[in-house]
Amino acid sequence: MATHTKCEADVPQGERVGREEKRIFKLRIKISRQILRPLSWEATLRAWQVLGRPGLETAGDPDGRLCCSSCFATYTLADGEQPARASSIGVLPRALSGRDDCPWRRQGVTSTCLPVLHLLELLGSALRPALAAHRAAPSAPGAFTCHHAFGGWGTLVNPTGLALCPKTGRVVVAHDGRRRVKIFDSGGGCAHQFGEKGEAAQDIRYPLDVTVTNDCHVVVTDAGDRSIKVFDFFGQVKLVIEGQFSLPWGVETTPQNGVVVTDAEAGSLHLLEVDFPEGILWRTQKLQVHLSNPRGVAVSWLTGAIAVLDYPLGPGPGGTTVKVFSPSMQLIGQVDTFGLSLFFPSRITASAVTFDHQGNVIVADTSSQAVLCLGKPEEFPVLKPMITHGLSHPVALTFTKENSLLVLDSAAHSIKVYKADWG
């Protein structure tokens, strides 16, 4: 009997197409894993464009699984679940250029895939080498060193806001998980969480910042429905303030138990007086109306001064301006990116601001992945690096009563605890 060898022409067309798709799929994975890692960031972007535009849609695996079109990681969906489209549009180009993705424009699932963030961390030293000289130098007495960290991917997802409870010392974080607010105990363990992701008034769609009042109420700015939401410390909603803000962003508690809020779209700063236990809004006062695009805000418990991070309007990378006002809202200090560049060898892009216990203004810098002390407002700028290594994308800062500095690192999805090293 004559044997018949199966040739390519005998293979059905559908099967041949499936083989070719599988071959291309495996080749894409191989290239992404073996080539992208050692390339410069410019070459990485070019290679990524050849492999396919990142994050535009969810690609299909010939074996029936799904894969992320940014990182090619495969996964499966539960019954009835739909693949998320546009879940990480522009994440890689924006991350590599140091620009944040617009949070309120992202639709559906807002979480970024982990391999893209790992790629950013691998390329971080090549992208932002400005503080190399400082990082090579030994730590001076008084410099802050990292003692421990907690959180991590899965426990936190793209965190945006950080606060401390003044009574219990617990750490409160706003993030992109299914429950938007997570509370950690002093040891870094998760005590509880609340704030369901949803469309109801008491749900939290997209939190931008969080603060804890003197009587332990949690206040969250929600960009999803442009509101401010107040919860007790156990997660029961007490008050929802809607219709008064265009885009509430930064939020902070004052020593008098008021709440200051920045409105990024309206260019204004507001003071809210609230009866938190009863959930009653007493008064809303506009403190400033001539800001450009205010985001982060901090209040000094020593002097009552208010610091605001103001971003320029319009296209382009622009810069940031740190403005400090007295309790009577007189401008007492101001410094911008250009002014800081005269004293520091790298571009500084402030992403967070706080005060230390001596009244110094402290900012997080995403351009050089550092934390810097700008000095007291009347002394601007007295520039002193405090943390120059170990950070990927710092987005929030706060000091504990013991003078430890907590840094929320969004790219690492964790809180890092720094203490002054006087040795």
Side-chain angles (χ1 to χ4, degrees):
M1 179 181 294
T3 60
H4 176 69
T5 303
K6 189 175 183 180
C7 63
E8 190 69 21
D10 296 323
V11 179
Q13 182 178 0
E15 186 176 341
R16 291 202 306 271
V17 173
R19 288 181 179 178
E20 183 65 16
E21 288 179 347
K22 183 176 293 188
R23 187 187 67 82
I24 295 175
F25 175 79
K26 292 180 178 179
L27 180 62
R28 284 160 64 97
I29 294 178
K30 182 177 181 180
I31 293 175
S32 67
R33 289 175 176 172
Q34 297 183 3
I35 296 182
L36 291 183
R37 185 166 180 169
L39 293 180
S40 66
W41 74 272
E42 295 94 342
T44 301
L45 284 179
R46 291 196 298 269
W48 216 272
Q49 291 168 356
V50 171
L51 290 171
R53 298 178 65 188
L56 291 182
E57 62 183 13
T58 306
D61 177 0
D63 288 331
R65 298 171 297 175
L66 295 172
C67 73
C68 170
S69 61
S70 293
C71 62
F72 314 117
T74 59
Y75 58 93
T76 57
L77 295 176
D79 293 339
E81 186 179 0
Q82 297 297 319
R85 299 178 63 86
S87 60
S88 55
I89 292 179
V91 168
L92 185 66
R94 286 179 182 271
L96 292 177
S97 63
R99 291 157 49 191
D100 294 330
D101 196 9
C102 298
W104 58 90
R105 292 183 182 176
R106 295 185 287 179
Q107 302 295 323
V109 180
T110 57
S111 304
T112 303
C113 54
L114 182 59
V116 171
L117 295 173
H118 283 172
L119 178 63
L120 170 62
E121 189 171 1
L122 288 170
L123 297 174
S125 58
L127 295 175
R128 305 178 179 95
L131 287 181
H134 291 283
R135 295 176 183 179
S139 297
F144 280 73
T145 57
C146 186
H147 279 237
H148 68 279
F150 56 92
W153 174 263
T155 302
L156 294 174
V157 181
N158 294 344
T160 56
L162 172 69
L164 276 177
C165 177
K167 287 188 177 180
T168 65
R170 292 191 168 184
V171 180
V172 181
V173 180
H175 73 129
D176 199 20
R178 292 192 179 277
R179 293 183 178 178
R180 303 306 211 181
V181 177
K182 186 161 287 192
I183 299 178
F184 296 89
D185 58 30
S186 57
C190 180
H192 64 281
Q193 53 188 335
F194 60 86
E196 295 291 336
K197 174 184 177 181
E199 303 296 323
Q202 70 272 15
D203 294 337
I204 302 176
R205 299 186 187 182
Y206 193 89
L208 290 180
D209 201 5
V210 64
T211 189
V212 182
T213 64
N214 301 339
D215 52 1
C216 297
H217 286 81
V218 179
V219 184
V220 180
T221 51
D222 191 344
D225 56 5
R226 302 169 187 262
S227 69
I228 295 174
K229 296 172 181 178
V230 181
F231 303 85
D232 65 23
F233 210 63
F234 301 101
Q236 296 297 315
V237 64
K238 305 294 289 188
L239 178 65
V240 177
I241 305 173
E242 296 179 294
Q244 300 192 29
F245 302 95
S246 299
L247 184 60
W249 197 299
V251 62
E252 183 67 296
T253 302
T254 69
Q256 297 77 28
N257 208 35
V259 173
V260 289
V261 180
T262 60
D263 191 328
E265 196 168 289
S268 55
L269 177 68
H270 302 254
L271 172 64
L272 307 181
E273 295 181 6
V274 180
D275 183 341
F276 292 105
E278 298 297 327
I280 300 174
L281 176 63
W282 284 341
R283 186 167 71 104
T284 302
Q285 178 184 358
K286 286 187 177 180
L287 301 179
Q288 284 288 325
V289 294
H290 299 297
L291 302 172
S292 297
N293 185 14
R295 299 185 187 178
V297 62
V299 179
S300 171
W301 283 57
L302 178 67
T303 64
I306 300 175
V308 177
L309 288 184
D310 203 10
Y311 288 68
L313 296 174
T320 53
T321 302
V322 181
K323 297 182 178 181
V324 184
F325 300 93
S326 68
S328 60
M329 295 314 297
Q330 299 296 316
L331 184 65
I332 58 176
Q334 175 175 310
V335 64
D336 59 12
T337 297
F338 176 75
L340 291 174
S341 68
L342 301 177
F343 300 90
F344 206 62
S346 70
R347 176 184 178 84
I348 294 176
T349 304
S351 58
V353 63
T354 191
F355 288 92
D356 66 10
H357 296 308
Q358 290 74 44
N360 296 299
V361 178
I362 313 297
V363 296
D365 175 23
T366 54
S367 294
S368 54
Q369 302 162 319
V371 175
L372 309 171
C373 176
L374 302 184
K376 292 180 170 58
E378 59 273 13
E379 302 171 349
F380 273 1
V382 180
L383 202 60
K384 175 185 175 183
M386 298 175 61
I387 302 172
T388 57
H389 63 279
L391 297 175
S392 298
H393 194 79
V395 296
L397 306 167
T398 190
F399 279 90
T400 67
K401 292 181 179 180
E402 296 77 20
N403 206 35
S404 295
L405 176 58
L406 305 186
V407 183
L408 182 63
D409 194 333
S410 181
H413 310 273
S414 62
I415 300 101
K416 298 179 179 179
V417 182
Y418 289 82
K419 296 183 179 180
D421 182 7
W422 299 102

